[in-house]
Amino acid sequence: SFSAALENKVLLAVAPDVYSRLYPDGVEPHHFSKLLAHELAHHLHVRLLEGREEAMGPPWFYEGFACHAAGQFESNLTRISSEEAAQLMTNHGQGSYRKYTSLFLRLFRHKDLKETLFRAADPDFTQRAMRDYRIRPEPRSSEPRSPEPRIPESRSASPSVSLPAEPGSCGVPSP
């Protein structure tokens, strides 16, 4: 549902109480300020890409980035499985912003952010991220399901976000 947008250098937003009713999952401390920051993050992203909005990457990425930049949901992240991550990354419909934030942090918390923002437009960006972080789509019902290898969590990570111990490159150098 529409809550805010930046159009022609004008930030448009519904009233805070309307936003709370339209998007109850987004209600958290300072949620309306975070909504506005989210929209400004999209604007910054497009400006870094020199106006090429189509180069923002897939929805899971640019919405996860905007949520992270705005500080949305980070006090109460959702833990997502490899299967859920694969579904979020391959489904081009509207998904959960809370899950997009968790996925973004899982994949890119320790990456060079500016470089990652530019790489998101690469045609194989999603596939590389899935490969580098061992995220596999759910097997089809006729395929036997093999257990997922256990990846230890980083001790420095938030307890609600699962981060691999040795992240892959995803085309972006590790810091």
Side-chain angles (χ1 to χ4, degrees):
S1 64
F2 168 82
S3 295
L6 188 61
E7 295 292 330
N8 298 320
K9 299 183 181 181
V10 176
L11 181 58
L12 306 168
V14 297
D17 62 318
V18 174
Y19 174 59
S20 297
R21 283 196 313 269
L22 287 175
Y23 191 55
D25 191 42
V27 175
E28 62 179 334
H30 312 289
H31 66 280
F32 192 71
S33 298
K34 291 177 181 182
L35 167 67
L36 301 179
H38 176 108
E39 294 307 322
L40 292 172
H42 283 313
H43 181 69
L44 170 66
H45 190 173
V46 173
R47 291 221 28 206
L48 287 170
L49 299 170
E50 298 175 345
R52 297 176 306 122
E53 192 170 329
E54 72 283 356
M56 291 173 71
W60 65 265
F61 176 78
Y62 63 75
E63 292 300 351
F65 162 70
C67 289
H68 171 61
Q72 290 175 297
F73 312 118
E74 291 187 5
S75 63
N76 186 18
L77 289 172
T78 300
R79 187 178 204 89
I80 55 175
S81 68
S82 183
E83 290 82 11
E84 283 180 292
Q87 186 176 29
L88 284 170
M89 295 170 85
T90 57
N91 180 4
H92 296 291
Q94 185 66 39
S96 161
Y97 281 47
R98 188 176 303 277
K99 288 183 179 181
Y100 286 156
T101 306
S102 295
L103 181 60
F104 182 86
L105 290 171
R106 176 179 178 181
L107 300 178
F108 304 111
R109 178 177 294 215
H110 302 293
K111 300 289 184 184
D112 178 279
L113 185 56
K114 188 173 180 182
E115 182 70 21
T116 302
L117 291 173
F118 284 102
R119 296 258 185 207
D122 291 351
D124 64 343
F125 180 75
T126 294
Q127 290 74 26
R128 289 176 73 175
M130 290 174 74
R131 181 192 67 228
D132 291 349
Y133 287 93
R134 301 179 194 127
I135 296 171
R136 293 183 303 271
E138 182 108 5
R140 297 185 184 178
S141 58
S142 61
E143 297 175 19
R145 186 176 169 113
S146 59
E148 204 172 301
R150 180 146 169 79
I151 302 171
E153 292 184 19
S154 169
R155 299 238 184 251
S156 64
S158 164
S160 59
V161 178
S162 174
L163 295 171
E166 295 180 29
S169 68
C170 190
V172 180
S174 295

